Amino acid sequence: MADCIFCSIVSGDIPATRVYEDERTLAFADTNPQAPTHLLVVPKEHFTDIADVSRDPEVSAAYLAGIRAVAEQERLHDFRVVFNTGADVGQTVFHLHAHLLAGRPMGWPPG
Ligand code: AMP
Ligand code: ZN
């Protein structure tokens, strides 16, 4: 999708620290990390958010498997996955992304 920063990362037009890639999924380092491990896991195809992708069960399943594969590759046992969905809760990039966070204690509920 034109003017989408994460589509541009998927295509390679914008550089990123890529840590995992399969046919449908890409993971790269967040440039403003909030934990010792802070990766963004995105479907290569453009979806706006988790509600959008959930209309496609096949892509949704592949995406979840991709997130699991990233966690396994990075040997993460305890981790948090966050899908900000909507500007009011902090979504700033409207290409679906999972924040995969690990490496420090995390409070609950989130602030
Ligand atoms: P959200 O606020 O949930 O939409 O998260 C967007 C995330 O993307 C933020 O944590 C940003 O730090 C991160 N981000 C924005 N631009 C880039 C980029 N070019 N490379 C890596 N991470 C980015
Ligand atoms: Zn996109």
Side-chain angles (χ1 to χ4, degrees), residues 2 4 33 47 61-62 69 71 74 80-81 85 97 99 101 104 106-107:
C4 172
F47 294 90
E74 299 301 307
R80 182 169 292 179
V81 177
T85 307
H97 51 282
H99 294 262
L101 299 147
R104 66 164 170 82
M106 293 179 201

PDB file of all heavy atoms in Angstrom, residues 2 4 33 47 61-62 69 71 74 80-81 85 97 99 101 104 106-107:
ATOM      1  N   ALA A   2       0.561   2.209  -0.851  1.00  0.00           N
ATOM      2  CA  ALA A   2       1.373   3.426  -0.959  1.00  0.00           C
ATOM      3  C   ALA A   2       1.354   4.184   0.365  1.00  0.00           C
ATOM      4  O   ALA A   2       0.367   4.174   1.096  1.00  0.00           O
ATOM      5  CB  ALA A   2       0.820   4.309  -2.072  1.00  0.00           C
ATOM      6  N   CYS A   4       2.687   3.591   3.155  1.00  0.00           N
ATOM      7  CA  CYS A   4       2.666   2.815   4.401  1.00  0.00           C
ATOM      8  C   CYS A   4       4.105   2.463   4.762  1.00  0.00           C
ATOM      9  O   CYS A   4       4.795   1.774   4.002  1.00  0.00           O
ATOM     10  CB  CYS A   4       1.825   1.549   4.265  1.00  0.00           C
ATOM     11  SG  CYS A   4       1.973   0.472   5.707  1.00  0.00           S
ATOM     12  N   PRO A  33      12.750   1.167  21.344  1.00  0.00           N
ATOM     13  CA  PRO A  33      12.444  -0.027  22.148  1.00  0.00           C
ATOM     14  C   PRO A  33      11.976   0.305  23.554  1.00  0.00           C
ATOM     15  O   PRO A  33      12.541   1.177  24.220  1.00  0.00           O
ATOM     16  CB  PRO A  33      13.770  -0.794  22.160  1.00  0.00           C
ATOM     17  CG  PRO A  33      14.816   0.216  21.833  1.00  0.00           C
ATOM     18  CD  PRO A  33      14.166   1.243  20.953  1.00  0.00           C
ATOM     19  N   PHE A  47      -2.627  -5.179   6.214  1.00  0.00           N
ATOM     20  CA  PHE A  47      -3.900  -5.140   6.956  1.00  0.00           C
ATOM     21  C   PHE A  47      -3.790  -3.987   7.934  1.00  0.00           C
ATOM     22  O   PHE A  47      -2.705  -3.701   8.458  1.00  0.00           O
ATOM     23  CB  PHE A  47      -4.151  -6.454   7.713  1.00  0.00           C
ATOM     24  CG  PHE A  47      -4.373  -7.625   6.814  1.00  0.00           C
ATOM     25  CD1 PHE A  47      -3.295  -8.404   6.394  1.00  0.00           C
ATOM     26  CD2 PHE A  47      -5.637  -7.964   6.369  1.00  0.00           C
ATOM     27  CE1 PHE A  47      -3.485  -9.484   5.539  1.00  0.00           C
ATOM     28  CE2 PHE A  47      -5.846  -9.047   5.519  1.00  0.00           C
ATOM     29  CZ  PHE A  47      -4.765  -9.802   5.105  1.00  0.00           C
ATOM     30  N   ALA A  61      -4.054 -17.337  10.779  1.00  0.00           N
ATOM     31  CA  ALA A  61      -3.354 -18.505  11.326  1.00  0.00           C
ATOM     32  C   ALA A  61      -1.867 -18.441  10.993  1.00  0.00           C
ATOM     33  O   ALA A  61      -1.013 -18.716  11.846  1.00  0.00           O
ATOM     34  CB  ALA A  61      -3.976 -19.783  10.776  1.00  0.00           C
ATOM     35  N   ALA A  62      -1.548 -18.065   9.771  1.00  0.00           N
ATOM     36  CA  ALA A  62      -0.139 -17.974   9.378  1.00  0.00           C
ATOM     37  C   ALA A  62       0.566 -16.888  10.187  1.00  0.00           C
ATOM     38  O   ALA A  62       1.732 -17.043  10.583  1.00  0.00           O
ATOM     39  CB  ALA A  62      -0.036 -17.672   7.884  1.00  0.00           C
ATOM     40  N   ALA A  69       6.897 -18.372  15.867  1.00  0.00           N
ATOM     41  CA  ALA A  69       8.216 -18.713  15.325  1.00  0.00           C
ATOM     42  C   ALA A  69       9.267 -17.670  15.729  1.00  0.00           C
ATOM     43  O   ALA A  69      10.412 -18.023  16.026  1.00  0.00           O
ATOM     44  CB  ALA A  69       8.142 -18.832  13.806  1.00  0.00           C
ATOM     45  N   ALA A  71       9.169 -15.823  18.478  1.00  0.00           N
ATOM     46  CA  ALA A  71       9.425 -16.038  19.906  1.00  0.00           C
ATOM     47  C   ALA A  71      10.339 -17.246  20.113  1.00  0.00           C
ATOM     48  O   ALA A  71      11.248 -17.214  20.955  1.00  0.00           O
ATOM     49  CB  ALA A  71       8.106 -16.216  20.655  1.00  0.00           C
ATOM     50  N   GLU A  74      13.938 -16.432  19.008  1.00  0.00           N
ATOM     51  CA  GLU A  74      14.602 -15.538  19.966  1.00  0.00           C
ATOM     52  C   GLU A  74      14.691 -16.158  21.352  1.00  0.00           C
ATOM     53  O   GLU A  74      15.147 -15.502  22.293  1.00  0.00           O
ATOM     54  CB  GLU A  74      13.862 -14.196  20.028  1.00  0.00           C
ATOM     55  CG  GLU A  74      13.827 -13.450  18.694  1.00  0.00           C
ATOM     56  CD  GLU A  74      15.211 -13.142  18.146  1.00  0.00           C
ATOM     57  OE1 GLU A  74      16.010 -12.558  18.889  1.00  0.00           O
ATOM     58  OE2 GLU A  74      15.489 -13.508  16.979  1.00  0.00           O
ATOM     59  N   ARG A  80       5.385 -10.528  26.178  1.00  0.00           N
ATOM     60  CA  ARG A  80       4.088  -9.882  26.019  1.00  0.00           C
ATOM     61  C   ARG A  80       3.891  -9.518  24.554  1.00  0.00           C
ATOM     62  O   ARG A  80       4.826  -9.020  23.905  1.00  0.00           O
ATOM     63  CB  ARG A  80       3.993  -8.630  26.902  1.00  0.00           C
ATOM     64  CG  ARG A  80       2.627  -7.952  26.814  1.00  0.00           C
ATOM     65  CD  ARG A  80       2.466  -6.882  27.888  1.00  0.00           C
ATOM     66  NE  ARG A  80       2.391  -7.472  29.224  1.00  0.00           N
ATOM     67  CZ  ARG A  80       2.272  -6.752  30.344  1.00  0.00           C
ATOM     68  NH1 ARG A  80       2.231  -5.432  30.277  1.00  0.00           N
ATOM     69  NH2 ARG A  80       2.204  -7.348  31.518  1.00  0.00           N
ATOM     70  N   VAL A  81       2.684  -9.767  24.062  1.00  0.00           N
ATOM     71  CA  VAL A  81       2.321  -9.384  22.700  1.00  0.00           C
ATOM     72  C   VAL A  81       1.233  -8.321  22.794  1.00  0.00           C
ATOM     73  O   VAL A  81       0.222  -8.519  23.467  1.00  0.00           O
ATOM     74  CB  VAL A  81       1.801 -10.598  21.901  1.00  0.00           C
ATOM     75  CG1 VAL A  81       1.367 -10.169  20.498  1.00  0.00           C
ATOM     76  CG2 VAL A  81       2.867 -11.686  21.811  1.00  0.00           C
ATOM     77  N   THR A  85      -4.796  -1.078  18.773  1.00  0.00           N
ATOM     78  CA  THR A  85      -5.845  -1.103  17.736  1.00  0.00           C
ATOM     79  C   THR A  85      -6.675   0.163  17.873  1.00  0.00           C
ATOM     80  O   THR A  85      -7.581   0.239  18.699  1.00  0.00           O
ATOM     81  CB  THR A  85      -6.712  -2.376  17.892  1.00  0.00           C
ATOM     82  OG1 THR A  85      -5.852  -3.523  17.918  1.00  0.00           O
ATOM     83  CG2 THR A  85      -7.693  -2.513  16.729  1.00  0.00           C
ATOM     84  N   HIS A  97       0.653  -4.738  13.331  1.00  0.00           N
ATOM     85  CA  HIS A  97       1.938  -5.144  13.900  1.00  0.00           C
ATOM     86  C   HIS A  97       1.717  -5.625  15.327  1.00  0.00           C
ATOM     87  O   HIS A  97       0.960  -5.022  16.089  1.00  0.00           O
ATOM     88  CB  HIS A  97       2.964  -4.010  13.879  1.00  0.00           C
ATOM     89  CG  HIS A  97       2.466  -2.732  14.474  1.00  0.00           C
ATOM     90  ND1 HIS A  97       1.623  -1.869  13.799  1.00  0.00           N
ATOM     91  CD2 HIS A  97       2.684  -2.160  15.693  1.00  0.00           C
ATOM     92  CE1 HIS A  97       1.350  -0.840  14.565  1.00  0.00           C
ATOM     93  NE2 HIS A  97       1.973  -0.983  15.733  1.00  0.00           N
ATOM     94  N   HIS A  99       3.570  -5.949  18.812  1.00  0.00           N
ATOM     95  CA  HIS A  99       4.746  -5.614  19.616  1.00  0.00           C
ATOM     96  C   HIS A  99       5.082  -6.876  20.407  1.00  0.00           C
ATOM     97  O   HIS A  99       4.252  -7.373  21.185  1.00  0.00           O
ATOM     98  CB  HIS A  99       4.439  -4.499  20.613  1.00  0.00           C
ATOM     99  CG  HIS A  99       4.140  -3.175  19.997  1.00  0.00           C
ATOM    100  ND1 HIS A  99       5.073  -2.171  19.877  1.00  0.00           N
ATOM    101  CD2 HIS A  99       2.990  -2.674  19.471  1.00  0.00           C
ATOM    102  CE1 HIS A  99       4.522  -1.103  19.316  1.00  0.00           C
ATOM    103  NE2 HIS A  99       3.254  -1.379  19.065  1.00  0.00           N
ATOM    104  N   LEU A 101       7.410  -8.069  23.245  1.00  0.00           N
ATOM    105  CA  LEU A 101       8.217  -7.429  24.288  1.00  0.00           C
ATOM    106  C   LEU A 101       8.676  -8.461  25.305  1.00  0.00           C
ATOM    107  O   LEU A 101       7.883  -9.310  25.733  1.00  0.00           O
ATOM    108  CB  LEU A 101       7.371  -6.375  25.011  1.00  0.00           C
ATOM    109  CG  LEU A 101       6.835  -5.236  24.145  1.00  0.00           C
ATOM    110  CD1 LEU A 101       5.472  -4.774  24.644  1.00  0.00           C
ATOM    111  CD2 LEU A 101       7.812  -4.073  24.124  1.00  0.00           C
ATOM    112  N   ARG A 104      12.175  -7.772  30.675  1.00  0.00           N
ATOM    113  CA  ARG A 104      12.073  -7.000  31.924  1.00  0.00           C
ATOM    114  C   ARG A 104      10.713  -7.303  32.546  1.00  0.00           C
ATOM    115  O   ARG A 104       9.780  -7.734  31.835  1.00  0.00           O
ATOM    116  CB  ARG A 104      12.217  -5.499  31.655  1.00  0.00           C
ATOM    117  CG  ARG A 104      11.099  -4.884  30.831  1.00  0.00           C
ATOM    118  CD  ARG A 104      11.116  -3.371  30.944  1.00  0.00           C
ATOM    119  NE  ARG A 104      10.218  -2.705  30.012  1.00  0.00           N
ATOM    120  CZ  ARG A 104       8.902  -2.539  30.198  1.00  0.00           C
ATOM    121  NH1 ARG A 104       8.312  -3.059  31.268  1.00  0.00           N
ATOM    122  NH2 ARG A 104       8.170  -1.897  29.315  1.00  0.00           N
ATOM    123  N   MET A 106       7.014  -6.639  33.758  1.00  0.00           N
ATOM    124  CA  MET A 106       5.988  -5.760  33.194  1.00  0.00           C
ATOM    125  C   MET A 106       4.771  -5.752  34.091  1.00  0.00           C
ATOM    126  O   MET A 106       4.285  -6.795  34.509  1.00  0.00           O
ATOM    127  CB  MET A 106       5.586  -6.253  31.790  1.00  0.00           C
ATOM    128  CG  MET A 106       6.721  -6.110  30.794  1.00  0.00           C
ATOM    129  SD  MET A 106       6.299  -6.685  29.159  1.00  0.00           S
ATOM    130  CE  MET A 106       7.962  -6.968  28.515  1.00  0.00           C
ATOM    131  N   GLY A 107       4.279  -4.548  34.374  1.00  0.00           N
ATOM    132  CA  GLY A 107       3.117  -4.431  35.236  1.00  0.00           C
ATOM    133  C   GLY A 107       1.831  -4.785  34.516  1.00  0.00           C
ATOM    134  O   GLY A 107       1.769  -4.827  33.291  1.00  0.00           O
TER     135      GLY A 107
END
